[in-house]
Amino acid sequence: MKIPTLPFTVTDWATVPETTHAGDVGQALWRTQEIGDLRVRMVTYSPGYIADHWCDRGHVLTVLEGVLETELRDGRRFTLTAGMSYRVSDHGDAAHRSSTATGARLFIVD
């Protein structure tokens, strides 16, 4: 990830339009800003959400609320709670996918 040249910018996430992305179960609500190749998102997963894909994209992710389960294709599993984060580069490890039993709110930069 490379942050492109841009001025100091403040975001009021409540004013960013929300898009709905279906999972295998449940849904993800995204509020997204894209600046060149940089994507910055506030994401809310519904209770019971299971991603509909394995992801190889790099992310810096922070859990703001709830509990996030991250499974890697090689079988490793990680549980993140509010205040925890992970980092992974594009194709930097086994592909990953997210799920949550209780719901979660995330801040993601990729």
Side-chain angles (χ1 to χ4, degrees):
M1 167 179 32
K2 181 172 170 70
I3 297 175
T5 301
L6 64 127
F8 184 87
T9 306
V10 174
T11 302
D12 176 356
W13 288 101
T15 67
V16 176
E18 196 169 67
T19 58
T20 302
H21 303 263
D24 275 348
V25 177
Q27 64 183 10
L29 303 176
W30 295 13
R31 294 181 187 271
T32 306
Q33 289 191 321
E34 295 192 65
I35 306 100
D37 291 334
L38 180 70
R39 182 171 66 174
V40 181
R41 297 178 285 157
M42 191 71 69
V43 175
T44 302
Y45 290 153
S46 65
Y49 175 80
I50 300 172
D52 66 345
H53 67 283
W54 290 95
C55 182
D56 280 313
R57 187 170 179 160
H59 310 286
V60 176
L61 176 149
T62 300
V63 178
L64 302 174
E65 298 172 5
V67 178
L68 176 69
E69 299 288 338
T70 300
E71 176 184 8
L72 276 61
R73 192 179 292 242
D74 64 11
R76 290 178 286 160
R77 299 183 70 87
F78 302 90
T79 301
L80 289 82
T81 58
M84 296 177 73
S85 65
Y86 75 72
R87 293 142 316 278
V88 65
S89 63
D90 292 344
H91 304 281
D93 204 332
H96 53 279
R97 70 176 173 181
S98 298
S99 64
T100 177
T102 60
R105 189 163 176 246
L106 315 171
F107 181 74
I108 306 170
V109 179
D110 50 27

